[in-house]
Every structure is written in C-alpha cells, then in structure tokens.
Amino acid sequence: MNRTATEGSTPRADAGDTPTLVGCVLTFNEERNVRRAVSSLQAAADVVVVIDSGSTDDTIAIAKELGAEATTQLARVTELSDVIITVVTDDKAQHAVFTNKKANLLIDAKGRIFVNCATIAPKTHIEAEKLAKQPG
C-alpha cells in the first residue's frame, strides 16, 4: 500500500491495514546527498519525510521536487508512523531525538511502537525507554 502525505495530513494505517512505513532523512545542507537518500527511501517507504535543521542550500527544494515532505518538526515522523525504527550512532544523537523538549519523537507517541537499533551506552537506552513509557 502506498500512502501519500501532505503537510498536516496523517496517512497512518486504519485498523487491519498494514502499518505505514515512513522513511525519514535528517538533513542540514545536504543538497549533494538528499536526492540519493530520498530516492532510495521512496523505493521502500510509503512516505518520505525530510527533517531539516535549518539548511541554507537547496536541500528542502530538492526534497520537495522529489515528492518528499520537508519539515523542521521531528514529531511529524511520529505523527505519520505506526512503527518508528531509530538508528543513531551516539548518545548525543539519541538524546536529540528523544529528549529535546521542543522537538522529539515521543511527542504524541501514544500507541506507536518504537524499535531502537542504536549503538549507544546501555544507560542511554534505559533513559529512552523510561521516557517512552510516560503518557502522551
């Protein structure tokens, strides 16, 4: 099933549907690489979202040209997803996606499934698990 999303829409699966697979690319001035990343994800994902951190190059324009949604809100991935798989390479990145008070994957995450494949300290995994168990 291929769902489409426009900013503000929510193509999450209805009961009995296959869960929505959202591909997410975190970017900052990635105009040289975003085309390849988005195209690769479009082959497998129902929706591709580019989460941009203030690029000053053509990253956002290229992402939109390819049909990806571009936003600065990390919580948009959670809004669109049924299952969120995270792969981060260090504790700092883990904290950034789960504990940032203004933008994180746990905002409105009730009912979502998280699979954390990060290569980080065990203590950081435990902290993220505790946050995920909190209401909301």
Side-chain angles (χ1 to χ4, degrees), residues 24-97:
C24 174
V25 182
L26 302 176
T27 61
F28 177 73
N29 290 336
E30 292 289 342
E31 68 181 4
R32 290 179 45 198
N33 301 309
V34 71
R35 185 176 305 280
R36 185 177 65 233
V38 168
S39 297
S40 294
L41 284 172
Q42 286 174 325
D46 297 307
V47 177
V48 176
V49 180
V50 172
I51 308 297
D52 191 72
S53 298
S55 293
T56 56
D57 64 4
D58 287 331
T59 299
I60 294 171
I62 293 167
K64 287 181 176 182
E65 172 189 312
L66 295 170
E69 178 179 332
T71 183
T72 58
Q73 301 302 312
L74 190 57
R76 182 69 174 141
V77 174
T78 305
E79 181 183 355
L80 294 171
S81 303
D82 299 298
V83 179
I84 298 99
I85 300 170
T86 58
V87 181
V88 297
T89 57
D90 58 45
D91 291 9
K92 182 178 177 183
Q94 179 81 353
H95 285 288
V97 298

